[in-house]
Coordinates of all heavy atoms in Angstrom, one line a residue:
A1250 N -9.0 -9.7 -34.0 CA -8.0 -10.2 -32.9 C -8.9 -10.2 -31.6 O -9.3 -9.1 -31.2 CB -6.8 -9.4 -32.7
L1251 N -9.1 -11.3 -31.1 CA -9.9 -11.5 -29.9 C -9.1 -11.8 -28.6 O -8.0 -12.5 -28.7 CB -11.1 -12.5 -30.0 CG -12.2 -12.0 -31.1 CD1 -13.4 -13.1 -30.9 CD2 -12.8 -10.6 -31.0
P1252 N -9.5 -11.4 -27.5 CA -8.7 -11.8 -26.3 C -8.8 -13.2 -25.8 O -9.6 -14.0 -26.4 CB -9.3 -10.8 -25.1 CG -10.3 -9.9 -25.9 CD -10.7 -10.6 -27.2
H1253 N -7.9 -13.5 -24.9 CA -7.9 -14.9 -24.4 C -8.7 -15.2 -23.2 O -8.8 -16.4 -22.7 CB -6.4 -15.2 -24.1 CG -5.5 -14.8 -25.2 ND1 -4.7 -13.7 -25.1 CD2 -5.2 -15.3 -26.4 CE1 -4.0 -13.6 -26.2 NE2 -4.3 -14.6 -27.0
A1254 N -9.4 -14.2 -22.7 CA -10.0 -14.3 -21.4 C -11.0 -15.5 -21.2 O -11.0 -16.1 -20.2 CB -10.7 -13.0 -21.0
V1255 N -11.9 -15.6 -22.1 CA -12.9 -16.6 -22.1 C -12.3 -18.0 -22.2 O -12.7 -18.9 -21.3 CB -14.0 -16.4 -23.3 CG1 -14.9 -17.7 -23.3 CG2 -14.8 -15.2 -23.1
A1256 N -11.3 -18.2 -23.1 CA -10.8 -19.5 -23.2 C -10.0 -19.8 -21.8 O -10.0 -20.9 -21.3 CB -9.9 -19.5 -24.4
N1257 N -9.2 -18.7 -21.4 CA -8.4 -19.0 -20.1 C -9.3 -19.5 -19.0 O -9.0 -20.5 -18.3 CB -7.9 -17.7 -19.7 CG -6.5 -17.4 -20.6 OD1 -6.1 -18.1 -21.3 ND2 -6.1 -16.1 -20.5
S1258 N -10.4 -18.8 -18.8 CA -11.2 -19.1 -17.6 C -12.1 -20.4 -17.8 O -12.2 -21.2 -16.9 CB -12.3 -18.1 -17.3 OG -11.6 -16.8 -16.8
F1259 N -12.4 -20.7 -19.1 CA -12.9 -21.9 -19.4 C -12.1 -23.2 -19.0 O -12.4 -24.2 -18.4 CB -13.5 -22.1 -20.8 CG -14.3 -23.3 -21.0 CD1 -15.6 -23.3 -20.7 CD2 -13.8 -24.4 -21.7 CE1 -16.3 -24.5 -20.9 CE2 -14.5 -25.5 -22.0 CZ -15.9 -25.6 -21.6
I1260 N -10.8 -22.9 -19.4 CA -9.7 -24.0 -19.1 C -9.6 -24.2 -17.6 O -9.6 -25.3 -17.1 CB -8.4 -23.6 -19.9 CG1 -8.6 -23.7 -21.4 CG2 -7.3 -24.7 -19.3 CD1 -7.5 -23.0 -22.1
E1261 N -9.5 -23.0 -17.0 CA -9.3 -23.2 -15.5 C -10.5 -23.8 -14.8 O -10.3 -24.4 -13.8 CB -9.0 -21.8 -15.0 CG -7.6 -21.2 -15.2 CD -7.4 -19.8 -14.9 OE1 -8.4 -19.1 -14.6 OE2 -6.1 -19.4 -14.7
M1262 N -11.7 -23.6 -15.4 CA -12.8 -24.2 -14.9 C -12.9 -25.7 -15.1 O -13.2 -26.4 -14.2 CB -14.1 -23.4 -15.4 CG -15.5 -24.0 -14.9 SD -16.0 -25.4 -15.7 CE -16.4 -24.7 -17.2
M1263 N -12.5 -26.1 -16.3 CA -12.5 -27.5 -16.6 C -11.4 -28.2 -15.9 O -11.6 -29.4 -15.5 CB -12.2 -27.6 -18.2 CG -13.4 -27.3 -19.1 SD -15.0 -28.1 -18.5 CE -14.6 -29.8 -18.6
Q1264 N -10.3 -27.6 -15.5 CA -9.2 -28.2 -14.6 C -9.9 -28.5 -13.4 O -9.2 -29.3 -12.6 CB -8.0 -27.4 -14.7 CG -7.3 -27.3 -16.0 CD -6.3 -26.1 -16.1 OE1 -6.3 -25.3 -15.3 NE2 -5.4 -26.2 -17.1
K1265 N -11.0 -28.0 -12.9 CA -11.6 -28.3 -11.6 C -12.7 -29.4 -11.8 O -13.4 -29.8 -10.8 CB -12.3 -27.1 -11.0 CG -11.2 -26.0 -10.5 CD -12.0 -24.8 -10.0 CE -11.2 -23.8 -9.4 NZ -11.1 -24.0 -7.9
Q1266 N -12.8 -29.9 -13.1 CA -14.1 -30.8 -13.2 C -13.4 -32.3 -13.5 O -12.3 -32.4 -13.9 CB -14.7 -30.4 -14.6 CG -15.3 -29.0 -14.6 CD -16.8 -29.2 -14.2 OE1 -17.2 -30.2 -13.7 NE2 -17.6 -28.1 -14.5
D1267 N -14.3 -33.2 -13.3 CA -14.1 -34.6 -13.4 C -14.6 -34.9 -15.0 O -15.7 -35.2 -15.2 CB -14.8 -35.4 -12.6 CG -14.6 -36.9 -12.8 OD1 -13.6 -37.4 -13.6 OD2 -15.4 -37.8 -12.3
A1268 N -13.8 -34.6 -16.0 CA -14.0 -34.6 -17.3 C -12.9 -35.0 -18.2 O -11.8 -34.8 -17.8 CB -14.8 -33.3 -17.9
D1269 N -13.2 -35.6 -19.4 CA -12.1 -35.7 -20.4 C -12.1 -34.5 -21.2 O -13.0 -34.2 -22.0 CB -12.4 -36.9 -21.3 CG -11.4 -37.2 -22.4 OD1 -10.4 -36.5 -22.3 OD2 -11.8 -38.0 -23.3
F1270 N -11.1 -33.6 -21.0 CA -11.1 -32.3 -21.4 C -9.9 -32.1 -22.5 O -8.8 -32.5 -22.2 CB -10.9 -31.2 -20.4 CG -10.8 -29.9 -20.9 CD1 -11.7 -29.3 -21.7 CD2 -9.6 -29.0 -20.5 CE1 -11.7 -28.0 -22.2 CE2 -9.5 -27.7 -21.0 CZ -10.6 -27.1 -21.9
V1271 N -10.4 -31.6 -23.7 CA -9.4 -31.5 -24.8 C -9.5 -30.0 -25.4 O -10.6 -29.6 -25.6 CB -9.7 -32.5 -25.9 CG1 -8.7 -32.4 -26.9 CG2 -9.7 -34.0 -25.4
I1272 N -8.4 -29.5 -25.7 CA -8.3 -28.1 -26.3 C -7.8 -28.4 -27.8 O -6.9 -29.2 -28.0 CB -7.4 -27.3 -25.7 CG1 -7.7 -27.2 -24.2 CG2 -7.4 -25.8 -26.3 CD1 -6.6 -26.5 -23.4
T1273 N -8.5 -27.9 -28.7 CA -8.0 -28.0 -30.2 C -7.9 -26.6 -30.9 O -8.8 -25.8 -30.7 CB -9.0 -29.0 -30.9 OG1 -8.3 -29.2 -32.2 CG2 -10.3 -28.6 -31.1
H1274 N -6.8 -26.5 -31.5 CA -6.6 -25.2 -32.2 C -5.4 -25.4 -33.3 O -4.7 -26.3 -33.2 CB -6.2 -24.1 -31.2 CG -5.0 -24.3 -30.4 ND1 -3.7 -24.4 -30.9 CD2 -4.9 -24.7 -29.1 CE1 -2.9 -24.7 -29.9 NE2 -3.6 -24.9 -28.8
P1275 N -5.4 -24.6 -34.3 CA -4.3 -24.5 -35.2 C -3.0 -24.3 -34.6 O -2.9 -23.5 -33.4 CB -4.6 -23.6 -36.3 CG -6.0 -23.1 -36.0 CD -6.4 -23.3 -34.6
K1276 N -1.8 -24.9 -35.2 CA -0.5 -24.5 -34.5 C -0.3 -23.0 -34.6 O -0.8 -22.4 -35.6 CB 0.5 -25.2 -35.3 CG 0.6 -26.8 -35.0 CD 1.8 -27.5 -35.3 CE 1.7 -28.8 -34.6 NZ 2.3 -29.9 -35.2
G1277 N 0.1 -22.5 -33.6 CA 0.4 -21.0 -33.5 C -0.5 -20.3 -32.6 O -0.4 -19.1 -32.2
Y1278 N -1.6 -21.1 -32.3 CA -2.6 -20.4 -31.3 C -2.5 -21.0 -30.0 O -3.5 -21.1 -29.2 CB -4.1 -20.6 -32.0 CG -4.4 -19.6 -33.0 CD1 -4.3 -19.9 -34.3 CD2 -4.7 -18.2 -32.6 CE1 -4.6 -19.0 -35.3 CE2 -4.9 -17.3 -33.6 CZ -4.7 -17.7 -34.9 OH -5.1 -16.7 -35.8
E1279 N -1.4 -21.5 -29.6 CA -1.2 -22.0 -28.3 C -1.5 -21.0 -27.1 O -1.0 -19.8 -27.4 CB 0.2 -22.4 -28.0 CG 0.6 -23.8 -28.7 CD 0.8 -23.6 -30.3 OE1 1.0 -22.4 -30.7 OE2 0.8 -24.6 -31.0
L1280 N -2.2 -21.2 -26.2 CA -2.6 -20.2 -25.2 C -1.5 -20.3 -24.0 O -0.5 -21.0 -24.2 CB -3.9 -20.8 -24.5 CG -5.1 -20.5 -25.4 CD1 -6.3 -21.3 -25.1 CD2 -5.6 -18.9 -25.3
N1281 N -1.7 -19.3 -23.1 CA -0.6 -19.2 -22.1 C -0.4 -20.6 -21.3 O -1.3 -21.2 -20.7 CB -1.2 -18.2 -21.1 CG -0.2 -17.8 -20.0 OD1 0.9 -18.5 -19.9 ND2 -0.5 -16.8 -19.3
P1282 N 0.9 -21.0 -21.5 CA 1.2 -22.3 -20.8 C 0.9 -22.5 -19.2 O 0.7 -23.4 -18.7 CB 2.7 -22.6 -21.1 CG 3.2 -21.3 -21.6 CD 2.0 -20.4 -22.1
N1283 N 0.9 -21.2 -18.7 CA 0.5 -21.2 -17.2 C -0.8 -21.3 -17.0 O -1.2 -21.7 -15.9 CB 1.1 -19.8 -16.6 CG 2.5 -19.6 -16.8 OD1 3.3 -20.5 -16.6 ND2 3.0 -18.4 -16.9
V1284 N -1.6 -21.2 -18.0 CA -3.1 -21.6 -17.9 C -3.3 -23.0 -18.3 O -4.0 -23.8 -17.7 CB -4.0 -20.6 -18.7 CG1 -5.4 -21.0 -18.7 CG2 -3.7 -19.1 -18.2
V1285 N -2.8 -23.3 -19.5 CA -3.1 -24.7 -20.1 C -2.5 -25.9 -19.2 O -3.2 -26.8 -19.0 CB -2.5 -24.7 -21.4 CG1 -2.7 -26.1 -22.0 CG2 -3.2 -23.7 -22.4
K1286 N -1.4 -25.6 -18.7 CA -0.8 -26.6 -17.8 C -0.7 -28.0 -18.4 O -0.2 -28.0 -19.6 CB -1.4 -26.6 -16.3 CG -1.2 -25.3 -15.5 CD -1.8 -25.2 -14.3 CE -1.5 -24.0 -13.5 NZ -2.6 -23.6 -12.6
N1287 N -1.4 -29.0 -17.7 CA -1.3 -30.3 -18.3 C -2.5 -30.7 -19.1 O -2.8 -31.8 -19.6 CB -1.1 -31.3 -17.1 CG 0.2 -31.1 -16.5 OD1 1.1 -30.9 -17.2 ND2 0.2 -31.4 -15.2
S1288 N -3.4 -29.8 -19.4 CA -4.7 -30.0 -20.2 C -4.2 -30.5 -21.6 O -3.2 -30.0 -22.2 CB -5.5 -28.8 -20.5 OG -6.0 -28.4 -19.1
K1289 N -5.0 -31.5 -22.1 CA -4.7 -32.0 -23.4 C -4.9 -31.2 -24.5 O -5.9 -30.4 -24.6 CB -5.6 -33.2 -23.6 CG -5.0 -34.6 -23.9 CD -6.0 -35.6 -24.1 CE -6.6 -36.2 -22.8 NZ -7.7 -37.1 -23.1
V1290 N -3.9 -31.1 -25.5 CA -4.0 -30.3 -26.7 C -4.0 -31.2 -27.9 O -3.0 -32.0 -28.0 CB -3.0 -29.2 -26.8 CG1 -3.1 -28.4 -28.1 CG2 -3.0 -28.2 -25.6
E1291 N -4.9 -31.1 -28.8 CA -5.0 -31.9 -30.0 C -4.9 -30.9 -31.2 O -6.0 -30.2 -31.4 CB -6.2 -32.8 -29.9 CG -6.6 -33.5 -31.3 CD -5.5 -34.4 -31.8 OE1 -5.1 -35.3 -31.1 OE2 -4.9 -34.1 -32.8
Y1292 N -4.2 -31.1 -32.1 CA -4.1 -30.1 -33.2 C -4.9 -30.4 -34.4 O -5.1 -29.6 -35.3 CB -2.6 -29.9 -33.7 CG -1.7 -29.2 -32.8 CD1 -0.8 -29.9 -32.0 CD2 -1.8 -27.8 -32.5 CE1 0.0 -29.2 -31.0 CE2 -1.0 -27.1 -31.6 CZ -0.1 -27.8 -30.9 OH 0.7 -27.2 -30.1
I1293 N -5.5 -31.7 -34.4 CA -6.4 -32.1 -35.5 C -7.8 -32.0 -34.9 O -8.3 -32.8 -34.1 CB -6.1 -33.6 -36.0 CG1 -4.7 -33.6 -36.4 CG2 -7.0 -34.0 -37.1 CD1 -4.1 -35.0 -36.7
Q1294 N -8.6 -31.0 -35.4 CA -9.9 -30.7 -34.9 C -10.8 -31.9 -34.9 O -11.6 -32.2 -34.0 CB -10.4 -29.5 -35.6 CG -11.7 -28.9 -35.0 CD -12.3 -27.9 -35.8 OE1 -12.3 -28.0 -37.1 NE2 -12.8 -26.7 -35.2
E1295 N -10.9 -32.6 -36.1 CA -11.9 -33.8 -36.2 C -11.6 -34.8 -35.3 O -12.4 -35.5 -35.0 CB -11.9 -34.1 -37.6 CG -12.3 -32.8 -38.6 CD -12.9 -33.2 -39.9 OE1 -13.1 -34.4 -40.2 OE2 -13.3 -32.3 -40.6
K1296 N -10.2 -35.1 -35.0 CA -9.9 -36.1 -34.1 C -10.4 -35.7 -32.7 O -10.9 -36.5 -31.9 CB -8.3 -36.2 -34.2 CG -7.9 -37.5 -33.5 CD -6.5 -37.9 -33.9 CE -6.0 -38.9 -32.9 NZ -4.4 -38.9 -32.8
A1297 N -10.1 -34.4 -32.3 CA -10.7 -34.1 -31.0 C -12.1 -34.2 -30.8 O -12.5 -34.5 -29.8 CB -10.2 -32.4 -30.8
F1298 N -12.8 -34.0 -32.0 CA -14.3 -34.0 -31.8 C -14.9 -35.4 -31.5 O -16.1 -35.6 -31.2 CB -14.9 -33.3 -33.1 CG -15.1 -32.0 -33.1 CD1 -14.1 -31.2 -32.5 CD2 -16.1 -31.3 -33.7 CE1 -14.3 -29.7 -32.5 CE2 -16.2 -29.9 -33.8 CZ -15.3 -29.1 -33.1
E1299 N -14.1 -36.5 -31.9 CA -14.7 -37.8 -31.8 C -15.0 -38.1 -30.4 O -14.4 -37.9 -29.4 CB -13.4 -38.8 -32.2 CG -13.1 -38.9 -33.7 CD -11.9 -39.6 -33.9 OE1 -11.3 -40.3 -33.0 OE2 -11.5 -39.5 -35.2
N1300 N -16.3 -38.6 -30.3 CA -17.0 -38.9 -29.1 C -17.3 -37.8 -28.0 O -17.5 -38.1 -26.9 CB -16.2 -40.0 -28.4 CG -16.2 -41.3 -29.2 OD1 -17.3 -41.7 -29.6 ND2 -15.1 -41.9 -29.3
A1301 N -17.1 -36.5 -28.6 CA -17.3 -35.4 -27.7 C -18.8 -35.4 -27.2 O -19.7 -35.6 -28.1 CB -16.8 -34.1 -28.3
D1302 N -18.9 -35.0 -25.9 CA -20.4 -34.8 -25.5 C -20.7 -33.2 -25.6 O -21.8 -32.9 -25.5 CB -20.4 -35.2 -24.0 CG -20.3 -36.6 -23.9 OD1 -21.0 -37.4 -24.5 OD2 -19.3 -37.0 -23.2
F1303 N -19.6 -32.5 -25.4 CA -19.8 -30.8 -25.6 C -18.7 -30.4 -26.5 O -17.5 -30.6 -26.4 CB -19.7 -30.2 -24.2 CG -20.8 -30.6 -23.3 CD1 -20.6 -31.7 -22.4 CD2 -21.9 -30.0 -23.1 CE1 -21.6 -32.1 -21.5 CE2 -22.9 -30.2 -22.2 CZ -22.7 -31.4 -21.4
I1304 N -19.1 -29.4 -27.5 CA -18.2 -28.6 -28.2 C -18.4 -27.2 -27.8 O -19.4 -26.5 -27.9 CB -18.4 -28.8 -29.8 CG1 -18.3 -30.2 -30.2 CG2 -17.4 -27.9 -30.5 CD1 -17.0 -30.9 -30.0
Y1305 N -17.3 -26.7 -27.2 CA -17.3 -25.2 -26.7 C -16.4 -24.5 -27.7 O -15.2 -24.7 -27.7 CB -16.7 -25.1 -25.2 CG -17.0 -23.9 -24.7 CD1 -18.0 -23.6 -23.5 CD2 -16.3 -22.7 -24.9 CE1 -18.2 -22.3 -23.0 CE2 -16.5 -21.5 -24.4 CZ -17.4 -21.3 -23.4 OH -17.7 -20.1 -22.8
T1306 N -17.1 -23.5 -28.4 CA -16.1 -22.9 -29.4 C -15.9 -21.5 -29.0 O -16.6 -20.7 -28.5 CB -17.1 -22.9 -30.7 OG1 -17.3 -24.3 -31.1 CG2 -16.3 -22.4 -31.9
K1307 N -14.8 -21.0 -29.4 CA -14.3 -19.7 -29.1 C -13.1 -19.4 -30.0 O -12.2 -20.2 -30.3 CB -13.9 -19.5 -27.7 CG -13.5 -18.1 -27.3 CD -14.7 -17.2 -27.0 CE -14.4 -15.7 -26.8 NZ -14.0 -15.0 -28.0
N1308 N -13.0 -18.1 -30.4 CA -11.8 -17.6 -31.2 C -10.9 -17.0 -30.2 O -11.5 -16.4 -29.2 CB -12.2 -16.7 -32.2 CG -11.0 -16.0 -32.8 OD1 -10.5 -14.9 -32.4 ND2 -10.3 -16.7 -33.8
W1309 N -9.6 -17.0 -30.4 CA -8.7 -16.2 -29.7 C -7.6 -15.9 -30.6 O -7.3 -16.6 -31.5 CB -8.3 -16.8 -28.4 CG -7.5 -18.2 -28.4 CD1 -6.3 -18.4 -28.8 CD2 -8.3 -19.4 -28.3 NE1 -6.1 -19.8 -28.8 CE2 -7.2 -20.4 -28.6 CE3 -9.5 -19.9 -28.1 CZ2 -7.5 -21.8 -28.5 CZ3 -9.7 -21.3 -28.0 CH2 -8.7 -22.1 -28.2
S1310 N -6.8 -14.7 -30.2 CA -5.7 -14.4 -31.1 C -4.5 -15.1 -30.5 O -4.7 -15.7 -29.6 CB -5.6 -12.9 -31.0 OG -5.5 -12.4 -29.7
S1311 N -3.4 -15.0 -31.3 CA -2.2 -15.6 -30.8 C -1.6 -15.1 -29.6 O -1.7 -13.9 -29.3 CB -1.0 -15.5 -32.0 OG 0.1 -16.0 -31.5
F1312 N -1.2 -16.0 -28.6 CA -0.6 -15.4 -27.4 C 0.9 -15.3 -27.6 O 1.4 -14.3 -27.2 CB -0.9 -16.6 -26.3 CG -0.3 -16.2 -25.0 CD1 -0.8 -15.2 -24.2 CD2 0.9 -16.8 -24.5 CE1 -0.4 -15.0 -23.0 CE2 1.4 -16.5 -23.3 CZ 0.9 -15.5 -22.6

Side-chain angles (χ1 to χ4, degrees):
L1251 297 189
H1253 311 104
V1255 169
N1257 285 346
S1258 290
F1259 187 75
I1260 292 167
E1261 287 176 338
M1262 181 275 289
M1263 286 310 305
Q1264 288 165 347
K1265 288 175 176 269
Q1266 296 270 21
D1267 181 18
D1269 175 11
F1270 177 54
V1271 182
I1272 306 166
T1273 184
H1274 57 73
K1276 288 205 167 145
Y1278 279 103
E1279 288 76 15
L1280 287 156
N1281 186 344
N1283 295 330
V1284 173
V1285 175
K1286 295 181 179 149
N1287 293 327
S1288 292
K1289 233 182 282 174
V1290 177
E1291 168 58 63
Y1292 291 105
I1293 303 170
Q1294 190 189 37
E1295 299 201 1
K1296 195 167 167 205
F1298 276 36
E1299 283 168 11
N1300 294 318
D1302 297 300
F1303 295 91
I1304 301 296
Y1305 192 105
T1306 303
K1307 185 71 186 82
N1308 171 270
W1309 59 85
S1310 55
S1311 173
F1312 180 74

